[in-house]
Amino acid sequence: MLRLLDATKPYIDNFYGIRISTRPDYINREVLSILKSYKVTTIELGAQSMDDKVLTLNNRGHLSSDVVNASKLIKEFDFNLGLQMMTGLYGSNSDSDIATAKKFIELKPDCVRIYPTVVVKNTELESLYTQGKYTPSTLEQSIDLCADLLCLFNDNNIDVIRLGLHYSDSLVDSMVYNNYHPAFKELCESRIMFNKTVKLLNDISSKNIIVYINKKSLSKFLGQHKSNINRLNALGYNVKVDFDNTLSKYEIIVKEQR
């Protein structure tokens, strides 16, 4: 740790600070004092789950109590706190993943990253999958769940700074189960907009509708290749889009066309 931090010394004055990521059980007062002296500003914890059963099944080597204790210490030392979670882990389900998100919110992190589990070759997870002991989430299941998680964090003013793994050729080549998409966050945001629109349609009898959104949310509302519009058309709706830039990024108003 010190060797890596020492390497930043010639450059640190050119930057606001350093962001690091580490395990929850590696945090203590001594480590935090050292990190503070090297101008570290943000510490992200690879929590992955707040369900001790899931953590144990996946050999994480830490418990949810480690996440709680580390988070409190990080905030006590006045660092920005980031928490990372993985959905669809071995032994988890949508309920436990949503429970993890709610426990994250209680810890009041400054940011969150969400990574749906991807099974890759030559791992214990691949072995569990081939033995039929583990069923990965499908892409559609991950989109449905992570759309809900994104709304949950957004409603609690917690920024999701990453949703889905970064693309790499090596990742795609090593995947065992095809549930990865390089534009995963975009798919989740489009699902949020579609779900909110359909819910609002329950109060409207006309099939000719006008949807008001913030202009910056246009691509989210339309969906990839206008998938949301096509789905609404398939339900019999004639959709017109207009803009109200006072609306938040996921906020929608639906009215009948006059």
Side-chain angles (χ1 to χ4, degrees):
M1 181 183 74
L2 291 173
R3 187 166 62 249
L4 289 168
L5 289 169
D6 282 337
T8 70
K9 283 184 175 179
Y11 314 102
I12 191 60
D13 289 339
N14 297 323
F15 299 94
Y16 171 74
I18 300 170
R19 175 188 294 268
I20 68 166
S21 177
T22 189
R23 295 173 55 90
D25 50 325
Y26 280 16
I27 293 296
N28 57 46
R29 291 181 180 277
E30 180 186 6
V31 167
L32 292 176
S33 296
I34 293 169
L35 295 178
K36 181 67 75 171
S37 70
Y38 278 89
K39 295 188 178 180
V40 171
T41 52
T42 300
I43 301 174
E44 295 189 34
L45 300 177
Q48 317 313 2
S49 175
M50 294 297 282
D51 185 323
D52 285 341
K53 176 186 173 184
V54 173
L55 292 171
T56 300
L57 284 172
N58 289 273
N59 299 319
R60 282 298 302 165
H62 74 265
L63 297 174
S64 59
S65 57
D66 294 310
V67 180
V68 173
N69 294 335
S71 296
K72 289 179 179 178
L73 274 177
I74 288 167
K75 293 180 86 64
E76 180 184 326
F77 275 73
D78 201 29
F79 292 97
N80 291 325
L81 170 65
L83 295 175
Q84 301 172 6
M85 67 178 290
M86 293 179 69
T87 63
L89 282 166
Y90 175 46
S92 74
N93 54 41
S94 294
D95 289 340
S96 65
D97 288 338
I98 290 171
T100 287
K102 290 179 178 179
K103 289 178 180 178
F104 274 17
I105 290 166
E106 291 175 4
L107 296 172
K108 296 183 167 66
D110 298 284
C111 62
V112 166
R113 297 178 195 257
I114 307 173
Y115 297 111
T117 302
V118 174
V119 183
V120 296
K121 298 173 184 176
N122 303 316
T123 62
E124 189 171 341
L125 208 55
E126 180 196 16
S127 178
L128 290 167
Y129 168 59
T130 56
Q131 292 175 54
K133 295 180 180 179
Y134 168 61
T135 303
S137 299
T138 65
L139 180 60
E140 279 296 306
Q141 288 171 334
S142 291
I143 292 169
D144 283 336
L145 171 61
C146 291
D148 289 342
L149 296 178
L150 198 52
C151 284
L152 190 58
F153 286 120
N154 185 68
D155 291 344
N156 285 276
N157 299 311
I158 296 172
D159 192 18
V160 178
I161 61 173
R162 183 73 198 176
L163 181 52
L165 291 165
H166 288 279
Y167 175 85
S168 71
D169 290 337
S170 61
L171 172 65
V172 173
D173 292 342
S174 64
M175 285 192 310
V176 175
Y177 185 85
N178 187 19
N179 59 351
Y180 170 77
H181 195 286
F184 184 74
K185 185 174 184 179
E186 181 182 339
L187 296 178
C188 293
E189 291 182 320
S190 294
R191 185 62 53 86
I192 290 171
M193 302 298 271
F194 179 79
N195 290 344
K196 288 194 170 188
T197 302
V198 169
K199 186 175 182 179
L200 292 170
L201 290 174
N202 291 329
D203 299 324
I204 294 178
S205 57
S206 174
K207 291 292 185 179
N208 296 309
I209 60 171
I210 181 167
V211 179
Y212 294 89
I213 56 173
N214 189 301
K215 191 171 184 178
K216 293 180 180 179
S217 299
L218 179 59
S219 63
K220 298 180 181 67
F221 175 73
L222 295 178
Q224 281 198 332
H225 310 296
K226 295 188 176 180
S227 58
N228 283 349
I229 298 298
N230 293 335
R231 291 177 72 184
L232 290 168
N233 290 161
L235 293 172
Y237 290 96
N238 175 34
V239 184
K240 180 181 177 182
V241 179
D242 206 342
F243 303 116
D244 179 349
N245 292 332
T246 66
L247 299 175
S248 61
K249 62 180 176 179
Y250 299 139
E251 194 175 1
I252 294 174
I253 296 174
V254 179
K255 296 182 179 179
E256 296 182 10
Q257 289 189 39
R258 300 296 183 184

